[in-house]
């Protein structure tokens, strides 16, 4: 898939954007770089990149505004590359529609892994679970019949647990914020009340995870939300 995969880097720190650009080019990606939001949005609409690496602190516009603007017309994966370590800002970026985030300083290997996740989720959404089935390791979910199997044994999920699992699987690899999940499952904003969600998630995990100290499928993003294993 690398080769004609285009990545747009919007970052005002020259050192970081040079480093990113070189590394991505070495890995075979086609790269566009913009030091500000205005130029970045222009490149976005002219060249239709397959992925955007976005710095939140830009000279001319807040990165969150860029996410909002892009999401009006496109579902392109946006990975926020940010110096901000505060969970509140990560959550905001995700709720604005960012696909993922990585906090500076980061290892290049970590970023490349995130990019591959985004690439895979792109090719997956093209296939759209055509066989209506998720099958990975010891877990099988038959979306058509709404049946779930662990090690070949059918397990019973409550309707909420099934909805949660379905939501996680159809967004695998992506961080879903508590708020987003609550809105999708119960239809209202959860605010800071994530206790209920935690209880449902614990029950779901008890049913599908074999090792409670080392989760195979449902990962916790501390203070932010959950991520379903990408592979
Ligand atoms: Ca910056």
């Amino acid at each position: 898939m690398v080769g004609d995969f285009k990545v747009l880097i919007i970052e005002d720190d020259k050192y970081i954007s040079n480093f990113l650009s070189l590394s991505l080019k070495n890995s075979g990606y086609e790269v566009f770089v913009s030091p500000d939001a205005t130029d970045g949005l222009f490149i976005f609409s002219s060249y239709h990149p397959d992925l955007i690496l976005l710095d939140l602190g830009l000279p001319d516009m807040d990165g969150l505004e860029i996410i909002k603007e892009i999401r009006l017309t496109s579902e392109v994966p946006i990975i926020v590359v940010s110096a901000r370590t505060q969970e509140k800002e990560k959550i905001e970026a995700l709720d604005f529609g960012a696909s993922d985030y990585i906090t500076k300083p980061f290892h290049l290997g970590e970023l490349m892994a995130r990019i591959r996740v985004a690439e895979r989720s792109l090719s997956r959404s093209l296939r759209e679970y055509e066989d209506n089935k998720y099958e990975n390791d010891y877990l099988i979910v038959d979306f058509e019949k709404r049946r779930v199997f662990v090690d070949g044994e059918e397990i019973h999920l409550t309707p909420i647990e099934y909805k949660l699992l379905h939501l996680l699987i159809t967004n695998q690899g992506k961080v879903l914020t508590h708020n987003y999940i609550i809105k999708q499952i119960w239809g209202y904003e959860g605010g800071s009340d994530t206790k209920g969600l935690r209880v449902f998630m614990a029950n779901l995990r008890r049913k599908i995870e074999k090792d409670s100290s080392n989760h195979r499928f449902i990962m916790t993003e501390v203070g932010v939300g959950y991520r379903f294993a990408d592979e």
Side-chain angles (χ1 to χ4, degrees):
M1 201 161 176
V2 181
D4 50 359
F5 195 87
K6 292 175 279 189
V7 180
L8 167 60
I9 301 166
I10 307 179
E11 164 71 78
D12 62 336
D13 183 322
K14 280 235 157 56
Y15 175 78
I16 294 176
S17 67
N18 282 340
F19 166 73
L20 286 175
S21 165
L22 255 172
S23 313
L24 288 168
K25 279 179 187 161
N26 282 338
S27 301
Y29 293 94
E30 193 178 340
V31 181
F32 302 90
V33 180
S34 165
D36 58 52
T38 314
D39 210 36
L41 285 170
F42 176 75
I43 296 175
F44 163 73
S45 54
S46 316
Y47 295 97
H48 308 289
D50 301 291
L51 179 103
I52 297 174
L53 295 179
L54 176 68
D55 174 30
L56 287 182
L58 293 165
D60 56 340
M61 198 192 274
D62 192 298
L64 292 175
E65 292 301 317
I66 301 189
I67 299 174
K68 217 159 121 187
E69 180 99 14
I70 288 173
R71 281 291 172 260
L72 292 175
T73 59
S74 164
E75 287 299 313
V76 62
I78 301 173
I79 301 179
V80 165
V81 182
S82 172
R84 304 176 192 188
T85 49
Q86 285 186 323
E87 271 144 16
K88 188 174 161 283
E89 268 140 354
K90 291 180 194 166
I91 294 170
E92 264 178 352
L94 292 166
D95 279 339
F96 269 63
S99 324
D100 208 343
Y101 59 82
I102 189 161
T103 308
K104 294 176 203 168
F106 53 83
H107 291 287
L108 184 61
E110 195 185 344
L111 176 68
M112 295 309 244
R114 298 294 175 86
I115 292 178
R116 283 192 297 272
V117 167
E119 275 185 76
R120 278 199 294 271
S121 77
L122 266 183
S123 62
R124 228 176 357 242
S125 62
L126 293 177
R127 285 198 319 263
E128 277 295 344
Y129 296 92
E130 55 197 10
D131 48 358
N132 253 315
K133 200 183 235 183
Y134 172 82
E135 195 168 353
N136 189 8
D137 205 344
Y138 59 80
L139 179 67
I140 297 176
V141 182
D142 183 334
F143 295 122
E144 213 167 72
K145 303 198 176 93
R146 287 178 159 253
R147 296 172 77 183
V148 182
F149 301 86
V150 169
D151 265 344
E153 295 276 322
E154 182 161 13
I155 55 156
H156 176 74
L157 296 185
T158 65
I160 296 272
E161 287 163 3
Y162 180 82
K163 262 174 104 172
L164 270 176
L165 182 60
H166 185 269
L167 179 70
L168 287 164
I169 290 177
T170 47
N171 287 282
Q172 71 188 105
K174 259 179 85 172
V175 187
L176 303 182
T177 64
H178 296 128
N179 241 343
Y180 177 82
I181 297 173
I182 290 168
K183 215 175 152 195
Q184 294 299 310
I185 302 291
W186 288 280
Y188 57 84
E189 302 275 353
S192 54
D193 178 30
T194 56
K195 238 186 245 164
L197 175 59
R198 276 177 227 275
V199 172
F200 280 103
M201 209 55 101
N203 290 336
L204 176 58
R205 271 174 164 161
R206 204 159 31 238
K207 292 179 183 180
I208 69 162
E209 297 282 4
K210 285 191 190 172
D211 183 350
S212 59
S213 58
N214 184 17
H215 295 135
R216 169 68 182 82
F217 294 108
I218 303 174
M219 316 299 161
T220 298
E221 294 282 319
V222 178
V224 177
Y226 299 93
R227 182 203 297 265
F228 199 82
D230 178 64
E231 50 188 0

